[in-house]
Amino acid sequence: MPELPEVETTCRGIRPAISDRVLTAVHVRNGRLRLPVPPDLGEQVEGERLVGVRRRAKYLLLDFSSGSVIVHLGMSGSLRVVDPAQPPGTHDHVDLVFGNAALRLRDPRRFGLVVWQPGEGLAHPLLTGLGIEPLEDEFTGAWLSRELKGLRAPIKQTLMDSHRVVGVGNIYASESLFRARIHPLAPAGEVGPRRIARLVDAVRETLQLAIAAGGSTLRDFVGGDGRKGYFQQDYFVYGRDALACRICGTPVVKAVVGQRSTFFCPKCQRR
């Protein structure tokens, strides 16, 4: 699933091509996504000028004066800038056309969404209950220590809880915990403040490096310019079970945490 770096990469990739442009047409070839594409979406936004493109968690918001088009890439989606005349593929479900440039949503599994929120886009029910952004100043060791106090759940599972911290999905939680040298199964409330501060720094570093690399392309993801990400080449542990740890040489272990595969080095990462 595209995580924060992939969505941020997409946001930065599409912004220059469509900023301050008028949306001239909406083409919905298959509106049966995770949530149905509103049948009146074109009536809501055609003729409106785009005033901003932003990311909240794993959602993209295309802001107009009367509201926001909210896009989620689902499990395997991508949002690319294309020539509107380019023939769509089988899984190209929605085009948002801005004159001679179009945003094309490709979503093979149809777990993504394109919805409309009148007024402030962040007021949509999908966004109102989300937690803190890990790249913002409010995400600190002191804040995370307070948030985790008394919790018995594994630290990795807690780090992936979008009601606390957004955008740190399975890949980047595993990688961040390795960089912080924290075992993913350690009870969250038992991780001390120094290690929590180290984890906050590791999350920031991991996400920023992933964004700089264009995110991760494991299957279908491409950025707004159609290019694949390459951060997967720098993984320390994710998907490297039974391979030697890049630091100590110990075989990387795979376990299941919260029904998700997780990867760690049993020597470098302690509880």
Side-chain angles (χ1 to χ4, degrees), residues 200-232:
V200 166
D201 290 341
V203 169
R204 290 183 184 276
E205 179 184 28
T206 301
L207 294 176
Q208 289 167 345
L209 288 171
I211 292 168
S216 299
T217 296
L218 301 184
R219 292 185 181 177
D220 303 296
F221 173 75
V222 295
D225 57 3
R227 297 180 183 178
K228 294 182 177 181
Y230 57 89
F231 187 66
Q232 66 276 5

Side-chain angles (χ1 to χ4, degrees), residues 31 56 71 156 163 179 199 236 239 269:
R56 174 68 171 117
V71 180
K156 178 172 179 279
H163 297 292
R179 288 175 184 271
L199 177 59
F236 281 106
Q269 295 172 258

Side-chain angles (χ1 to χ4, degrees), residues 152-161 168-171 173-174 177 182-188 238 253-264 269 271:
R152 298 295 304 166
I155 183 67
K156 178 172 179 279
Q157 187 176 345
T158 306
L159 192 60
M160 292 174 58
D161 181 356
V168 186
N170 200 29
I171 294 172
S174 289
L177 287 163
I182 297 172
H183 196 290
L185 299 180
Y238 186 84
V253 173
K254 177 182 178 180
V256 177
V257 180
Q259 300 181 327
R260 304 294 300 276
S261 295
T262 192
F263 305 87
F264 61 94
Q269 295 172 258
R271 290 176 186 254

Side-chain angles (χ1 to χ4, degrees), residues 24 69 89 177 239 258:
T24 53
V69 175
L177 287 163

Side-chain angles (χ1 to χ4, degrees), residues 7 22-23 45-46 57 62 71 87-88 110 153 177 198 203 226 241 252:
V7 181
V22 173
L23 192 148
V45 293
E46 286 179 4
L62 309 179
V71 180
R110 290 192 284 114
L177 287 163
R198 194 164 69 226
V203 169
D241 46 310
V252 172

Side-chain angles (χ1 to χ4, degrees), residues 2-194:
E3 299 181 17
L4 186 153
E6 290 75 46
V7 181
E8 182 65 26
T9 295
T10 300
C11 184
R12 296 181 186 187
I14 67 177
R15 186 182 286 131
I18 60 173
S19 289
D20 199 38
R21 301 189 66 173
V22 173
L23 192 148
T24 53
V26 175
H27 301 307
V28 179
R29 287 175 285 273
N30 186 346
R32 293 175 295 139
L33 305 181
R34 175 158 60 98
L35 293 178
V37 178
D40 62 346
L41 181 61
E43 298 174 20
Q44 299 285 352
V45 293
E46 286 179 4
E48 290 230 18
R49 186 173 299 277
L50 185 73
V51 297
V53 181
R54 54 181 166 156
R55 177 193 58 77
R56 174 68 171 117
K58 299 178 185 179
Y59 295 88
L60 289 163
L61 286 84
L62 309 179
D63 296 324
F64 300 87
S65 59
S66 61
S68 299
V69 175
I70 301 173
V71 180
H72 192 281
L73 300 180
M75 293 289 291
S76 57
S78 63
L79 190 66
R80 298 169 294 134
V81 179
V82 302
D83 184 331
Q86 178 179 321
T90 302
H91 304 297
D92 293 335
H93 302 313
V94 179
D95 282 6
L96 303 174
V97 183
F98 296 83
N100 62 357
L103 293 183
R104 178 163 291 173
L105 177 67
R106 183 179 189 273
D107 187 1
R109 299 188 185 183
R110 290 192 284 114
F111 287 162
L113 58 83
V114 179
V115 296
W116 171 252
Q117 174 62 35
E120 171 53 60
L122 297 179
H124 193 280
L126 288 170
L127 306 182
T128 53
L130 293 175
I132 199 168
E133 288 279 347
L135 296 179
E136 297 295 332
D137 293 341
E138 292 79 10
F139 183 60
T140 65
W143 176 87
L144 189 57
S145 291
R146 291 193 300 271
E147 192 71 14
L148 302 184
K149 186 176 181 180
L151 295 181
R152 298 295 304 166
I155 183 67
K156 178 172 179 279
Q157 187 176 345
T158 306
L159 192 60
M160 292 174 58
D161 181 356
S162 63
H163 297 292
R164 290 189 169 90
V165 183
V166 299
V168 186
N170 200 29
I171 294 172
Y172 300 108
S174 289
E175 290 296 304
S176 298
L177 287 163
F178 177 84
R179 288 175 184 271
R181 302 297 191 265
I182 297 172
H183 196 290
L185 299 180
E190 295 181 8
V191 181
R194 288 187 180 180

